[in-house]
């Protein structure tokens, strides 16, 4: 099949999922084109995915270059030039809208449009009144809609009054990369390593990460690795200084080989307000790192409480810290949890299984008569 994928290239789960999907589909013999403002950071130069950049066209009349139109135009061009069967948009705003425009602009070619909803495109951006009507219209125009969890499907139906719920196709991990082979064990005593990775947006509650860690390191020697970057990073570094734990916390920015950090960490903390899925939690689990996360959104579909990690009420610093300390207290129980985390990640969310679901979805959409 010939597939054009569009996504945000910035740090964030939707771009990661779109890029991994593009690479996985190309490995399985499909012709895949990736259309984005910049080359997504997870797409290596060696990939057989064909990358097309979207031009930023400036003109004195424009206060802001109309990116969404340039994206639609580039998608239409790629569709016609390469006889694309399916445009797969990731993150509804603006990609679903641009993809629908592209499908019309590509006429007389018939191209089907699939959109995958990732979370904040529905909960924060798409449902904002500035985007709501156009976002709902684009979703209804799509030939297929998927969401990354049951929770997100339910939220979408509620927020947009949809008659047909989006199909659920969860996120996935690549076993070749995210594995527990070579991971470090939990020491009986001595320093433990805690990790958090995100785009440091308010929804991630990064201050909670620091406060939970502050409590952990009062009980046993510990180090915190903060991976990623984003708007709350500066204020988070200030909080670390205020609490006097600068020598215990490393802000390492975005990391190319994040799997090595997961394997060297004994616990992953994700105290978000909610996550539609929580891709970073899944990647940590695949590397054998137990997760302490919020009992919120789709995280309950990824983490089995007491088996692969712990789920705590949002904002309860003491509960998070107590759960983390309990997991770190017993190396035998920790090893069992680490093994379960890796096994569940691979059994339930393995790349081949999920890619097969996307292929079946495309087949169904392409086979459906043109409306
Ligand atoms: O979490 C974000 O701020 C970014 C957003 C994105 O577009 O990358 O993440 C969402 O999509 C990911 C991939 O499907 C999910 O794993 C994240 O849980 C989801 N974030 C939220 O729902 C807050």
């Amino acid at each position: 099949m010939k597939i054009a994928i569009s996504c945000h290239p910035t740090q964030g789960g939707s771009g990661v999922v779109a890029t991994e999907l593009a690479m996985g589909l190309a490995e399985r013999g499909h012709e895949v084109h990736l259309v984005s403002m910049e080359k997504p950071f997870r797409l290596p130069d060696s990939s057989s995915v064909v990358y097309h950049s979207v031009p930023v066209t400036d003109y004195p009349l424009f206060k802001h270059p109309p990116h969404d139109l340039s994206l639609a135009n580039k998608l239409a061009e790629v569709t016609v030039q390469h006889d694309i069967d399916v445009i797969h948009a990731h993150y509804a705003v603006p990609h679903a809208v641009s993809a629908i425009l592209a499908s019309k602009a590509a006429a007389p070619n018939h191209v089907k449009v699939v959109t995958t909803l990732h979370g904040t495109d529905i909960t924060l951006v798409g449902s904002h009144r500035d985007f709501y009507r156009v976002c709902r219209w684009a979703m209804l125009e799509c030939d297929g809609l998927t969401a990354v969890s049951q929770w997100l499907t339910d939220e979408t139906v509620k927020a947009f009054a949809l008659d047909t719920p989006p199909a659920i196709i969860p996120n996935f991990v690549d076993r070749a990369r995210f594995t527990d082979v070579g991971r470090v064990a939990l020491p009986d005593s001595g320093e433990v390593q805690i990790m958090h990775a995100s785009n440091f947006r308010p929804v991630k509650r990064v201050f909670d990460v620091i406060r939970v860690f502050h409590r952990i390191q009062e009980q046993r020697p510990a180090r915190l690795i903060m991976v990623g970057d984003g708007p709350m990073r500066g204020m988070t570094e200030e909080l670390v200084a205020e609490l006097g734990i600068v020598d215990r916390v490393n802000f390492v920015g975005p990391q190319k080989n994040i799997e090595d950090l997961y394997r060297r960490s004994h616990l992953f903390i994700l105290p978000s307000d909610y996550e539609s899925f929580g891709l970073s939690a899944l990647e940590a689990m695949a590397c054998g790192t137990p997760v302490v996360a919020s009992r919120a959104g789709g995280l309950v579909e990824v983490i089995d409480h007491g088996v692969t990690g712990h789920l705590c009420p949002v904002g309860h610093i003491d509960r998070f810290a107590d759960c983390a300390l309990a997991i770190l207290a017993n190396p035998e129980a920790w090893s069992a949890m680490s093994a379960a985390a890796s096994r569940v990640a691979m059994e339930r969310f393995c790349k081949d299984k999920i890619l097969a679901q996307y292929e079946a979805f495309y087949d169904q959409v392409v086979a459906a008569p043109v409306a």
Side-chain angles (χ1 to χ4, degrees):
M1 195 170 286
K2 295 181 177 188
I3 305 149
I5 291 180
S6 72
C7 68
H8 291 292
T10 41
Q11 299 278 333
S14 60
V16 170
V17 170
T19 310
E20 296 281 350
L21 176 64
M23 292 193 293
L25 290 169
E27 277 161 24
R28 288 162 80 99
H30 300 281
E31 181 180 316
V32 186
H33 298 259
L34 205 149
V35 181
S36 191
M37 291 297 286
E38 283 163 28
K39 194 165 174 172
F41 72 104
R42 280 254 178 126
L43 186 68
D45 291 336
S46 57
S47 170
S48 56
V49 171
V50 187
Y51 168 65
H52 305 263
S53 70
V54 179
V56 182
T57 310
D58 215 347
Y59 183 70
L61 210 67
F62 301 150
K63 192 162 176 207
H64 307 287
H67 156 260
D68 309 350
L69 292 184
S70 302
L71 172 61
N73 191 68
K74 179 54 79 178
L75 281 169
E77 244 175 52
V78 170
T79 297
V80 173
Q81 274 168 14
H82 300 276
D83 200 16
I84 297 294
D85 302 299
V86 175
I87 297 177
H88 188 168
H90 285 262
Y91 208 89
V93 184
H95 295 124
V97 181
S98 298
I100 294 297
L101 280 179
S103 71
K104 312 269 184 215
N109 282 46
H110 288 296
V111 61
K112 297 291 178 80
V113 178
V114 168
T115 293
T116 290
L117 309 172
H118 281 275
T120 45
D121 48 350
I122 293 304
T123 55
L124 297 180
V125 188
S127 54
H128 191 285
R129 60 178 299 203
D130 292 349
F131 301 109
Y132 182 83
R133 286 199 75 84
V134 78
C135 188
R136 182 171 190 274
W137 167 79
M139 285 198 277
L140 293 175
E141 286 285 305
C142 281
D143 302 287
L145 211 52
T146 79
V148 298
S149 62
Q150 176 70 56
W151 178 83
L152 184 58
T153 287
D154 295 345
E155 289 297 304
T156 309
V157 168
K158 250 190 286 166
F160 289 91
L162 300 185
D163 291 334
T164 312
I168 302 158
I169 303 187
N171 291 333
F172 57 91
V173 274
D174 183 358
R175 181 193 279 275
R177 209 179 140 188
F178 295 92
T179 137
D180 63 352
V181 176
R183 74 146 299 117
V184 299
L186 178 71
D188 283 332
S189 58
E191 188 176 274
V192 289
Q193 182 163 303
I194 317 286
M195 178 176 164
H196 169 79
S198 75
N199 50 23
F200 288 66
R201 299 220 177 99
V203 69
K204 304 294 175 183
R205 298 185 72 97
V206 270
F207 284 4
D208 287 13
V209 177
I210 304 302
R211 294 208 166 96
V212 170
F213 175 75
H214 183 243
R215 270 219 43 205
I216 294 172
Q217 57 86 50
E218 286 173 341
Q219 301 296 316
R220 69 173 294 173
R223 170 158 305 283
L224 174 64
I225 308 293
M226 297 289 281
V227 181
D229 211 344
M232 305 281 290
R233 177 166 166 181
M235 285 185 284
T236 311
E237 293 193 46
E238 282 169 24
L239 178 62
V240 167
E242 258 170 51
L243 294 171
I245 50 173
V246 172
D247 57 335
R248 307 267 91 216
V249 183
N250 299 93
F251 288 85
V252 296
Q255 292 290 308
K256 267 212 149 98
N257 295 322
I258 195 167
E259 61 273 25
D260 293 337
L261 286 174
Y262 286 130
R263 281 192 283 267
R264 273 189 263 131
S265 301
H266 303 105
L267 197 72
F268 186 78
I269 305 188
L270 194 60
S272 312
D273 279 325
Y274 61 86
E275 291 286 338
S276 66
F277 185 90
L279 184 65
S280 55
L282 175 61
E283 290 183 344
M285 281 166 53
C287 294
T289 315
V291 178
V292 179
S294 300
R295 184 181 289 283
L299 284 165
V300 302
E301 297 168 48
V302 178
I303 298 151
D304 296 341
H305 181 70
V307 180
T308 61
H310 278 197
L311 294 165
C312 302
V314 178
H316 280 239
I317 306 296
D318 286 346
R319 190 78 76 79
F320 267 86
D322 291 345
C323 283
L325 285 163
I327 291 172
L328 296 169
N330 178 344
E332 233 172 82
W334 178 90
S335 291
M337 194 170 261
S338 163
S342 182
R343 192 182 57 248
V344 166
M346 293 316 171
E347 281 172 5
R348 232 188 277 163
F349 303 104
C350 105
K351 179 174 155 184
D352 283 341
K353 184 171 152 183
I354 307 300
L355 288 192
Q357 291 183 27
Y358 274 115
E359 285 173 328
F361 194 76
Y362 295 153
D363 285 342
Q364 192 188 314
V365 160
V366 168
V370 177

